[in-house]
Amino acid sequence: LKMKYRKIYTVYFSPTHTSKKVVQAIAEGYGAEVTEEIDLTYSIPEKPVQIKEALVIIGVPVYGGRVAETAVERLRHIKGETSAVVPVVVYGNRDFEDALRELSDYMMKAGFVSVAGAAFIGEHSYSRREMPVAAGRPDVTDKSKALAFGKRIKEKLERINRLEEAETVKLPGNFPYKEKGAATLQAPVTREELCIRCGICAKVCPTAAIEGEVPRSKAELCIKCCACVKECPMKARVFDTPYTAMLFEKFSVRREPEIWI
């Protein structure tokens, strides 16, 4: 009997939905009989999640060439036993640097075996209409590649009888990981004249950094994911950073997903 995981888990931290879309497309391509979702975007599981004899496809965003810190904090509650993992990082068209290796290393320490990995592109958090950076991605082409990747994962696992026979995939990245730059205390602000006090921005904030009738962000809690900017129906939330212009100038040439299997 060749190995086939009939149940798989999709795990993601995805404030602007890009990691979620990629992971779901990979899972769709795999075609499991049962798929269980664990969304770490807004909360931590009430109790530790022990995943046994299953496949986990996990997607997180890249911030500054590393796994988003909030994602790492919430992943502590996911543990594996005789389970395979496919780490997937989603970056804004600049570079994913050490993030994929970091995610894989973290999941292997939690008891999983990395059997494949991928780096996909999602619209950059700082992308703006007048200065787009990977706008609209993942797009139709990205999804087709994610579907094909999911199918290849299934084919790989069906060639083996036991997880111990699966070759741990070698993923790009350095160790020690790239040092993170000093965090700047900055956050999106509200243009009061446009704000209709709908509360959507506070609802979509993954770190509960926004409060007040006229929304204000606590800069010390803000992770600059810009979910509030992208989801505001009135365009009342803005985040002005010189990095947008730099990214638009230097990283507008389309990059394509990369997979390792």
Side-chain angles (χ1 to χ4, degrees):
L1 178 67
K2 295 295 183 182
M3 184 168 221
K4 178 184 176 185
Y5 289 118
R6 289 181 171 80
K7 179 175 183 178
I8 66 173
Y9 290 78
T10 55
V11 180
Y12 51 83
F13 176 78
S14 188
T16 58
H17 317 302
T18 54
S19 299
K20 176 182 179 179
K21 287 175 184 174
V22 170
V23 164
Q24 287 180 333
I26 296 168
E28 185 183 337
Y30 183 91
E33 292 171 19
V34 181
T35 302
E36 184 171 326
E37 280 190 309
I38 301 176
D39 184 354
L40 301 175
T41 310
Y42 305 107
S43 61
I44 299 167
E46 291 180 6
K47 55 185 180 180
V49 179
Q50 186 79 19
I51 297 174
K52 188 174 182 180
E53 295 179 356
L55 170 67
V56 174
I57 303 169
I58 178 164
V60 300
V62 177
Y63 292 169
R66 298 280 304 276
V67 174
E69 285 184 20
T70 311
V72 173
E73 291 166 12
R74 295 178 185 179
L75 281 172
R76 290 186 185 134
H77 298 263
I78 310 292
K79 303 294 181 186
E81 184 182 335
T82 325
S83 289
V85 69
V86 177
V88 179
V89 294
V90 179
Y91 69 103
N93 209 59
R94 185 190 68 81
D95 201 347
F96 60 94
E97 295 176 274
D98 298 337
L100 184 56
R101 174 164 178 181
E102 181 184 10
L103 179 60
S104 177
D105 289 349
Y106 192 91
M107 297 307 290
M108 287 198 289
K109 285 176 186 170
F112 294 90
V113 176
S114 281
V115 295
F120 275 75
I121 295 84
E123 181 173 315
H124 200 288
S125 297
Y126 298 172
S127 178
R128 300 292 175 262
R129 190 182 307 169
E130 65 279 10
M131 289 184 282
V133 185
R137 298 188 69 187
D139 57 19
V140 174
T141 304
D142 295 318
K143 182 172 181 181
S144 68
K145 292 183 178 181
L147 290 167
F149 180 42
K151 187 178 179 183
R152 286 187 64 189
I153 295 165
K154 186 175 186 179
E155 289 168 352
K156 176 178 180 176
L157 292 175
E158 286 182 340
R159 286 196 297 268
I160 61 174
N161 292 301
R162 295 177 303 132
L163 185 58
E164 291 82 359
E165 297 172 17
E167 189 177 336
T168 301
V169 69
K170 185 170 174 55
L171 298 170
N174 299 301
F175 185 84
Y177 313 125
K178 173 189 175 183
E179 281 194 31
K180 296 177 183 174
T184 53
L185 279 179
Q186 192 182 6
V189 296
T190 301
R191 295 168 65 185
E192 289 189 39
E193 71 278 11
L194 296 178
C195 179
I196 58 171
R197 285 44 167 186
C198 65
I200 288 174
C201 58
K203 186 178 178 182
V204 301
C205 178
T207 58
I210 302 172
E211 58 183 26
E213 185 187 353
V214 177
R216 298 270 190 278
S217 292
K218 294 181 179 178
E220 67 273 16
L221 294 178
C222 178
I223 60 172
K224 305 180 188 69
C225 69
C226 292
C228 61
V229 175
K230 294 180 187 294
E231 298 287 342
C232 176
M234 306 305 295
K235 309 297 182 206
R237 293 284 291 179
V238 294
F239 185 58
D240 289 324
T241 168
Y243 287 111
T244 300
M246 182 275 289
L247 290 163
F248 175 68
E249 180 187 346
K250 295 184 177 179
F251 301 103
S252 288
V253 176
R254 181 185 177 95
R255 295 191 65 173
E256 296 297 335
E258 296 174 69
I259 67 169
W260 291 265
I261 190 164

